Amino acid sequence: MKLQGKVAIITGAAQGIGREYALRFVEEGAAVAIVDTRLQQARDLEQEITARKGRAIAIGADVTNEAQLAAMAKQVADCFGRIDALINNAAIYYDLELGRASLEYGRKVMDVNVFGVMLASWAVFPYMERQHSGSIINIASIAAWPGAISPPPMRSARAGGITGGDLYGISKAAVIYITQSMALNFGKSNIRVNAIAPGVTMSEATRKVVAGRFIEALIGQSALGRALEPRDLAGAAVFLASDDSALMTGQCLVVDAGCKIS
Ligand SMILES: NC(=O)c1ccc[n+]([C@@H]2O[C@H](COP(=O)([O-])OP(=O)(O)OC[C@H]3O[C@@H](n4cnc5c(N)ncnc54)[C@H](O)[C@@H]3O)[C@@H](O)[C@H]2O)c1
């Protein structure tokens, strides 16, 4: 077990990919905090984990709310005694207006996907600084690179200019910037900050928002010729949270079945 005795906070863990990070981290020996605005789903997962003798706590918190995040970090430290890892996984795109880009929606995406990452990281920083150790894992996306999720069929379908898909991509490019900047600033406290950029992953949200033909086009351009399932990303997160990556910081691991190779 690679995470024995470690304590991890996973935002947006009530469903989808975050849920798989939580389940895998528990299998690897970690205690997990399932942080989400979907509190009932988070509680259901907590029950599922504790029924299997794993350690978990569900906490309702919005990653755009600084006070809720501070209370969340305190609750985790009080409950489990320390905070070793934070996965900044919460983000919005399930209600993305793919074909258009309203300013209001753009602000909402930036608030959750960008400021949410910064606020949650700041909330755990005092605990990690005191321990002089920690690993922050920010979930970016291959959407951070404009060409990677815009195969020709999608490009021709665009209305032109900046679309909702671009707003999401901009937010994820900012996540990569934050990862590098925080890695530089937190390094002295022995806190590592890395990112994972997943490719198309068949979560419920993806199935809901992304048209089948778009998914097929993306799979068609991937070297391995397949989409990811949510559990396919957990190994990279375990690696970044574990001591196996002790000398890695400021990096972005692309896990996308070879969609974006460059
Ligand atoms: N699914 C994909 O194809 C894909 C590809 C690349 C990157 N990603 C990234 O992976 C992560 C997880 O994606 P997913 O497909 O599991 O999405 P999802 O929508 O299924 O899960 C996101 C979770 O975040 C929670 N959340 C949303 N806003 C929140 C807020 N303000 N505060 C707290 N929790 C909030 C939601 O309630 C939900 O449980 C996201 O960062 C997403 O951008 C997904």
Side-chain angles (χ1 to χ4, degrees):
M1 289 204 273
K2 291 193 175 295
L3 303 177
Q4 191 65 51
K6 291 195 188 281
V7 176
I9 294 170
I10 305 166
T11 67
Q15 66 172 35
I17 304 171
R19 177 187 152 85
E20 295 299 324
Y21 293 137
L23 289 168
R24 178 68 191 276
F25 269 46
V26 169
E27 279 170 29
E28 297 288 347
V32 294
I34 304 151
V35 177
D36 209 295
T37 43
R38 295 171 200 250
L39 184 54
Q40 192 49 54
Q41 272 177 251
R43 285 193 174 134
D44 291 346
L45 180 57
E46 178 198 301
Q47 269 196 353
E48 196 180 320
I49 291 170
T50 50
R52 291 189 222 161
K53 309 272 181 259
R55 293 187 304 153
I57 183 173
I59 301 174
D62 186 324
V63 296
T64 65
N65 186 314
E66 209 171 350
Q68 287 181 14
L69 289 170
M72 177 279 292
K74 183 175 182 317
Q75 194 180 342
V76 175
D78 288 348
C79 182
F80 294 126
R82 52 189 296 114
I83 300 173
D84 297 293
L86 164 69
I87 306 185
N88 278 312
N89 169 76
I92 50 170
Y93 73 94
Y94 50 88
D95 60 347
L96 203 59
E97 299 162 310
L98 277 175
R100 53 189 287 269
S102 70
L103 189 55
E104 189 192 0
Y105 191 77
R107 286 183 171 138
K108 193 170 134 191
V109 169
M110 298 307 155
D111 207 19
V112 178
N113 298 11
V114 179
F115 290 107
V117 167
M118 289 161 53
L119 293 180
S121 303
W122 291 340
V124 301
F125 177 75
Y127 300 90
M128 292 183 170
E129 188 187 35
R130 224 171 289 141
Q131 291 164 198
H132 200 69
S133 71
S135 173
I136 296 175
I137 302 163
N138 297 327
I139 305 304
S141 166
I142 57 164
W145 292 273
I149 60 156
S150 294
M154 279 309 284
R155 268 177 237 166
S156 58
R158 285 181 164 202
I162 295 287
T163 65
D166 289 317
L167 289 172
Y168 175 69
I170 291 165
S171 77
K172 293 301 187 176
V175 167
I176 295 172
Y177 182 97
I178 291 167
T179 300
Q180 296 176 346
S181 168
M182 275 191 183
L184 287 168
N185 293 328
F186 289 0
K188 278 191 281 306
S189 304
N190 195 32
I191 299 168
R192 302 183 294 112
V193 189
N194 291 290
I196 297 173
V200 179
T201 308
M202 299 313 294
S203 60
E204 299 130 64
T206 303
R207 288 196 168 89
K208 208 155 113 190
V209 78
V210 187
R213 64 183 172 82
F214 181 28
I215 292 172
E216 273 163 34
L218 284 168
I219 293 170
Q221 75 174 29
S222 77
L224 297 179
R226 54 161 291 198
L228 288 85
E229 294 298 325
R231 65 180 166 277
D232 291 327
L233 291 156
V238 169
F239 169 65
L240 290 176
S242 78
D243 298 338
D244 283 353
S245 58
L247 270 293
M248 252 183 85
T249 195
Q251 304 304 310
C252 178
L253 290 183
V254 176
V255 183
D256 69 344
C259 220
K260 182 204 90 65
I261 295 182
S262 62

